[in-house]
């Protein structure tokens, strides 16, 4: 059984003015998501600024999200690291906290060979009982999970069940779908490629766009799941200007700005991320207005 189908939000981590985690505003965002039919919540991912959370904060944020969601939708905890030992530790803590699954990014900076990726993901998955989603995002990590490696992991490690594909390489994703033949669930990791990836058999998206447009992103995915690709393509194209603005600077700089514009008080970013440039922010506002969310 799949962890989810449809649109999962890669939710931001709201901050107070002093940079501490704002749990009250996180609750508000979670309730907004659930009210607007988000299909799952990914907590402490890239969009959640996990890389600048301490281990204690990371675990506390996961626990808080699990408690607030209270089984209404699946909670997927981002627990990846460039250190296998750290990935195991965070994954075990997420399991203790009651997460429904974990999201494991490829090791960054030190990277790995395909053999190293296999060992890293297998060792992490073997240390827990939760289902694991691999996260392939070479633009951020400098490390690419080849289709053959993903399929080997899915067939040899029982709880590696899915992959978030954010390589941007549709040919690679098509190759993955062909080799996998259904042995691994595929989710889009790019909001501008939801329809192409779902047309290849993907089950949905782990989305930045869902932070500000959860209902619309859910509906787009549902159109694909219903086989109405003409409707889905229209929705995908209509969302592209906003999606482009949400990635006009390093994620999550624009999406936090968008949430602040919407009144959600997501707060500042942790350094080295800085506030959005005015020119880009003005374009973001216009695209939010065009899309009907500001």
């Amino acid at each position: 059984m799949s962890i989810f189908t449809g649109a999962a939000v890669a939710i931001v981590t709201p901050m107070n003015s002093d940079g501490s985690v704002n749990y009250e505003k996180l609750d508000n965002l979670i309730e907004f998501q659930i009210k607007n039919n988000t299909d799952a919540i990914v907590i402490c991912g890239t969009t959640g600024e996990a890389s600048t959370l301490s281990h204690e904060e990371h675990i506390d944020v996961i626990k808080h999200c699990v408690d607030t969601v209270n089984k209404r939708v699946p909670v997927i905890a981002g627990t990846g690291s460039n250190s296998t030992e750290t990935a195991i530790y965070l994954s075990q803590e997420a399991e203790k906290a009651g997460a429904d699954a974990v999201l494991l990014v490829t090791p960054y900076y030190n990277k790995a060979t395909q053999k190293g990726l296999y060992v890293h993901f297998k060792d992490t998955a073997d240390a827990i009982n939760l289902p694991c989603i691999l996260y392939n995002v070479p633009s951020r990590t400098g490390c690419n999970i080849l289709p053959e490696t993903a399929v080997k992991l899915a067939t040899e490690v029982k709880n590696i069940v899915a992959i978030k594909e954010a390589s941007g390489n549709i040919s690679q994703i098509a190759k993955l779908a062909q080799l996998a033949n259904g042995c691994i669930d595929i989710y889009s990791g790019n909001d501008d490629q939801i329809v192409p990836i779902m047309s290849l058999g993907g089950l949905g998206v782990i989305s930045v766009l869902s932070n500000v447009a959860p209902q619309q992103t859910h509906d787009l995915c549902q159109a694909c799941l219903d086989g109405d690709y003409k409707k889905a393509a229209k929705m995908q194209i209509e969302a592209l200007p906003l999606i482009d603005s949400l990635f006009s600077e390093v994620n999550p700089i624009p999406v936090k700005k968008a949430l602040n514009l919407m009144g959600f008080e997501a707060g500042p970013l942790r350094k080295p991320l800085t506030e959005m440039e005015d020119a880009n922010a003005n374009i973001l506002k216009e695209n939010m207005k065009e899309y009907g969310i500001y």
Side-chain angles (χ1 to χ4, degrees):
M1 183 177 175
S2 299
I3 298 166
F4 75 94
T5 58
V9 61
I11 202 164
V12 306
T13 301
M15 304 290 182
N16 292 301
S17 58
D18 64 359
S20 61
V21 175
N22 189 329
Y23 289 98
E24 178 186 352
K25 300 304 178 186
L26 178 58
D27 288 348
N28 292 347
L29 290 175
I30 290 169
E31 296 305 326
F32 170 67
Q33 289 295 319
I34 293 174
K35 181 181 178 182
N36 286 277
N37 294 311
T38 207
D39 296 291
I41 293 175
V42 176
I43 190 76
C44 292
T46 304
T47 312
E49 298 179 78
S51 59
T52 52
L53 297 175
S54 69
H55 289 172
E56 292 77 15
E57 287 175 318
H58 197 134
I59 295 161
D60 285 346
V61 171
I62 292 169
K63 286 179 180 174
H64 188 90
C65 182
V66 168
D67 291 345
T68 302
V69 171
N70 194 25
K71 300 296 181 184
R72 288 177 287 174
V73 296
V75 173
I76 301 159
T79 55
S81 173
N82 66 330
S83 161
T84 305
E85 182 180 345
T86 301
I88 290 171
Y89 167 69
L90 291 173
S91 298
Q92 289 174 333
E93 291 299 317
E95 184 168 31
K96 291 177 192 174
D100 297 288
V102 296
L103 179 69
L104 302 172
V105 72
T106 48
Y108 40 86
Y109 185 69
N110 47 359
K111 306 194 289 186
T113 63
Q114 295 301 302
K115 177 182 176 182
L117 290 175
Y118 178 87
V119 171
H120 172 80
F121 288 126
K122 183 180 188 302
D123 286 358
T124 305
D126 283 346
I128 58 174
N129 294 308
L130 292 178
C132 302
I133 305 174
L134 309 179
Y135 180 16
N136 192 33
V137 58
S139 64
R140 292 192 81 116
T141 66
C143 195
N144 182 34
I145 307 173
L146 293 178
E148 293 82 357
T149 304
V151 170
K152 180 177 171 65
L153 282 160
T155 54
E156 296 182 4
V157 185
K158 68 181 187 304
N159 57 331
I160 292 180
V161 300
I163 184 167
K164 175 185 177 182
E165 245 300 343
S167 66
N169 185 339
I170 291 295
S171 296
Q172 176 173 299
I173 297 165
K175 181 70 172 177
L176 171 62
Q178 180 250 319
L179 291 177
N181 194 27
C183 77
I184 190 167
D185 291 339
I186 301 171
Y187 298 106
S188 176
N190 290 331
D191 285 310
D192 61 351
Q193 294 183 338
I194 298 170
V195 172
I197 290 174
M198 292 191 72
S199 74
L200 292 167
L203 297 185
V205 63
I206 295 176
S207 171
V208 174
L209 175 65
S210 282
N211 277 280
V212 296
Q215 185 67 59
Q216 295 92 325
T217 313
H218 165 86
D219 290 348
L220 194 167
C221 290
Q222 191 60 53
C224 291
L225 294 168
D226 292 341
D228 191 347
Y229 280 96
K230 184 174 182 180
K231 176 182 177 181
K234 182 175 183 291
M235 296 173 74
Q236 176 83 83
I237 289 165
E238 288 172 348
L240 283 178
L242 176 57
I243 293 167
D244 287 345
S245 281
L246 290 173
F247 290 92
S248 60
E249 294 187 24
V250 175
N251 179 49
I253 292 173
V255 74
K256 265 202 162 175
K257 179 68 174 180
L259 286 167
N260 286 333
L261 289 169
M262 293 170 73
F264 281 106
E265 299 178 51
L269 300 127
R270 285 195 176 175
K271 295 173 185 176
L273 300 185
T274 53
E275 292 303 309
M276 196 173 190
E277 298 290 342
D278 288 343
N280 290 330
N282 289 334
I283 296 169
L284 173 64
K285 285 181 196 176
E286 289 304 312
N287 287 328
M288 289 171 68
K289 288 176 184 175
E290 284 290 318
Y291 201 64
I293 59 171
Y294 176 62

